[in-house]
Amino acid sequence: MSDDTHTPTDNAATVSEPSATAAPSGARVLDVAGLSGGYGQIQVLHGLDFHVDDGEIVVILGANGAGKTTTLRAVSGMIATTGSVTLRGEQILGKKTPDIVRKGVAHVPQGRGTLPELSVEDNLRVGAYIRKDGEVDADIERWFDVYPVLRERRNQRAGSLSGGEQQMLAVSRALMSRPDLLLLDEPSLGLAPLIVQDLFARFAEINKETGMTMLVVEQNAQLALGIADRGYVIESGTIAFDGPADELMHDDKIRKAYLGV
């Protein structure tokens, strides 16, 4: 995806109403222990241990090939793994991806993952396919308020949107399932710096206003740590460093290796 040239909208409405399944503050949403896995004979993850608490933004950092994307794919049930992955105390390791979605995990993959032939609105309706309540239309309008440009494009094919608009749609579509946990894989990939700054500002706003729990894989370490509560650094499929985002931001080793300073 080439750099996006869409100018961020400054008048997006404040997000309201927390997720219907929100847990008490501080509750453990995701607990991963001894997670190992990969692709065929290639082992990528080697006994990862990490957790995400309710309402947190947690970032996973690391060099290309370190295992960041594979970690999210493992949590979503997309690859064969061993170890333990629990969501609000329930074991989800070994479950199929659609069942994990129904349990409350929404995954925005690298490269957006919108359905290009469908309209913006139909993409959002697809995101709500697991729901049986009567509030889908209200949620569509809710995310149109957060990303007004999507309302302007509601009948437009998703494939004709700019890169930044597609990322907004991908995030909104994931949130239409009212997840307990939102996984974001390299959301800044291929986007212009101003678009990326706006995108991350909206992530922080959504988290603050709704309490949405997020696990973010990101190459732009400085920007990601700027909105995160905590972070983990993966090296060769293992956790090399972890701690509060502010501490990682000011750790000399991490600054030199991942922040370029």
Side-chain angles (χ1 to χ4, degrees), residues 26-32 49-62 181 200 207 213-218 220-234 239 241-249 254:
R28 184 64 50 86
V29 174
L30 181 70
D31 206 344
V32 174
D49 297 297
F50 66 92
H51 69 273
V52 185
D53 289 340
D54 186 65
E56 281 192 313
I57 297 178
V58 173
V59 62
I60 296 178
L61 306 174
L181 176 65
F200 273 75
N207 169 262
T213 306
M214 301 180 185
L215 179 61
V216 185
V217 159
E218 181 52 53
N220 191 327
Q222 192 156 6
L223 191 58
L225 288 171
I227 69 166
D229 297 290
R230 295 185 300 109
Y232 295 90
V233 178
I234 294 181
I239 302 294
F241 306 95
D242 69 273
D246 187 60
E247 289 184 12
L248 294 179
M249 183 85 79
I254 293 172

